[in-house]
Amino acid sequence: MSAASKSVRRRGLNLGKTNSLKLAKSSQAVIFFQRLQSEDAKISDKSYGVELVLSHQALADAHCKPGEFAEAIKALNRCLAVEVGDCQDQVAPGSSILGDGFSLMSSEQGSITGYHFAKQAHLDRVVAETCRFLARSHLQAMELERAEEVSKELLKIHERSSDLFLREEEFSDRNLMALIASARGDHKSALRDLQRAASIIDPSQSRLDWASIQACIGDTLASLGRFKDADIAYHTALEIFTRIEGEGHAAVGSVYLSLADLRLKLGNVGAARIFCERASRIYDRTSEPADALVSGLVEAAGIYESLGEIDHAVALLQRALRAVEEEEHNLTLEPTATHGMEG
């Protein structure tokens, strides 16, 4: 074993010992404060609820380190049963962690419950962060009415807050709200949110964000049948992406596909084919992450199918499938490589 491998292994063992110690200490703290909560509270006005909740949260964190999410969630669930009086603001972050833990276990309902609990105990910056997670959880679960309800509460926070950090977050929050509105088929509301997001940023300082929002505005305008306006937005995005990222970037390919789809809606088959071919050439040589490549190939395949070029569409879908399989294979190899370094 090389010196480097020994060093990595040693650090891993030390981390394991540290976490085991934290696990033991957190368990002892839980037992200690449970006893104080049940016994000492009878003879004094002192409440140890906050200390008990924080001990449960520390225990949950110790369980999360080795991936013991089920045990972490048990500890965090026990937090919810502890009476903390007027000290909710000290313990609600653990409920956001509870939501995150359920998300790691792919439990949408569990994550939503945890985020709702945290939302009820916080204001402004922290509740905005919780609402953000909650809206995304509802959106992923396709609970669109609940997602919209939470996003409106997020909007109220932005309207009343003078917090500079929250103002900076409003750009991404408006994008999220537009996504929810689009999923509900409310493209007018989506357009309003996107236009508001565009007004927040300085185009000269945030060129890529500006280009991204213009591409999204183009998609929404196209959905509303405002094809000329959509074309202008797409070309604005295309110009910026090409200048900053280069002609061969996946973002450029994505805009070409949007323009191809727009030309199809206008009945201009020849122009649609030209834009689609440009996008295909980009995806032939792109080194972008697999998700960008796959989504681009699938979208291009759909356009070629609409053009009646079925064989070309099938070939692109087969490439997309290979890209997914390669990504899954690489992800499978990563834990093995890590074990090899530790061994």
Side-chain angles (χ1 to χ4, degrees), residues 62-324:
H63 279 301
C64 281
K65 292 293 192 297
E68 297 171 353
F69 299 117
E71 293 301 317
I73 286 170
K74 287 180 184 178
L76 288 167
N77 269 324
R78 286 193 286 270
C79 295
L80 308 186
V82 179
E83 292 291 336
V84 293
D86 297 328
C87 302
Q88 288 278 16
D89 60 321
Q90 297 182 43
V91 301
S95 299
S96 288
I97 300 170
L98 175 60
D100 297 340
F102 275 117
S103 293
L104 288 168
M105 295 184 69
S106 301
S107 173
E108 294 290 354
Q109 194 55 49
S111 65
I112 289 168
T113 300
Y115 294 140
H116 267 301
F117 182 86
K119 178 175 72 65
Q120 293 166 4
H122 270 66
L123 293 175
D124 290 343
R125 185 182 297 192
V126 180
V127 77
E129 182 67 20
T130 302
C131 284
R132 201 168 292 124
F133 279 115
L134 184 57
R136 287 171 183 159
S137 293
H138 282 305
L139 179 60
Q140 289 169 0
M142 293 306 292
E143 296 172 351
L144 300 180
E145 289 186 5
R146 297 297 301 277
E148 183 183 31
E149 177 187 334
V150 177
S151 68
K152 285 180 178 178
E153 189 162 341
L154 188 59
L155 176 60
K156 291 177 183 177
I157 295 170
H158 284 301
E159 288 175 344
R160 70 168 181 258
S161 177
S162 58
D163 189 324
L164 180 60
F165 176 81
L166 281 174
R167 301 302 297 174
E168 292 173 352
E169 289 292 314
E170 187 176 357
F171 174 76
S172 59
D173 289 340
R174 289 285 181 175
N175 274 289
L176 174 61
M177 293 162 70
L179 187 60
I180 294 168
S182 293
R184 298 186 73 240
D186 186 358
H187 300 297
K188 289 184 178 180
S189 293
L191 181 60
R192 283 197 296 271
D193 285 321
L194 290 170
Q195 289 173 334
R196 172 57 183 163
S199 71
I200 292 171
I201 59 175
D202 181 351
S204 65
Q205 300 295 322
S206 306
R207 299 291 288 168
L208 289 178
D209 284 339
W210 178 256
S212 296
I213 207 72
Q214 289 302 312
C216 292
I217 287 174
D219 292 338
T220 308
L221 288 168
S223 297
L224 290 168
R226 295 171 56 180
F227 299 136
K228 288 185 178 179
D229 292 334
D231 187 65
I232 293 172
Y234 285 143
H235 275 94
T236 299
L238 181 65
E239 179 186 356
I240 297 171
F241 281 137
T242 303
R243 187 187 314 144
I244 297 176
E245 301 286 18
E247 178 66 32
H249 196 272
V252 176
S254 178
V255 179
Y256 277 142
L257 290 176
S258 295
L259 285 166
D261 186 57
L262 185 62
R263 292 300 182 275
L264 272 180
K265 291 175 180 177
L266 291 169
N268 192 338
V269 175
R273 181 176 285 105
I274 290 171
F275 281 127
C276 203
E277 287 172 351
R278 290 178 182 175
S280 295
R281 285 196 293 271
I282 290 173
Y283 293 122
D284 280 339
R285 59 179 185 270
T286 187
S287 58
E288 293 298 310
D291 55 348
L293 174 61
V294 170
S295 62
L297 290 171
V298 170
E299 188 176 353
I303 295 174
Y304 275 117
E305 182 183 7
S306 299
L307 292 169
E309 299 183 21
I310 305 301
D311 290 342
H312 201 158
V314 170
L316 291 175
L317 290 174
Q318 288 173 337
R319 279 192 58 207
L321 181 59
R322 286 196 299 273
V324 171

Side-chain angles (χ1 to χ4, degrees), residues 9-62:
R9 178 178 173 81
R10 190 178 301 113
R11 290 179 184 180
L13 288 172
N14 287 338
L15 287 172
K17 289 177 182 177
T18 301
N19 197 63
S20 296
L21 182 61
K22 181 176 181 179
L23 191 61
K25 293 294 185 182
S26 300
S27 298
Q28 291 172 7
V30 167
I31 295 170
F32 177 72
F33 287 117
Q34 279 177 334
R35 180 177 61 79
L36 291 179
Q37 181 82 341
S38 61
E39 297 178 3
D40 290 12
K42 296 177 182 178
I43 59 175
S44 73
D45 295 330
K46 173 70 174 174
S47 173
Y48 293 93
V50 172
E51 289 85 349
L52 179 56
V53 168
L54 295 176
S55 298
H56 279 306
Q57 290 178 8
L59 182 61
D61 183 60

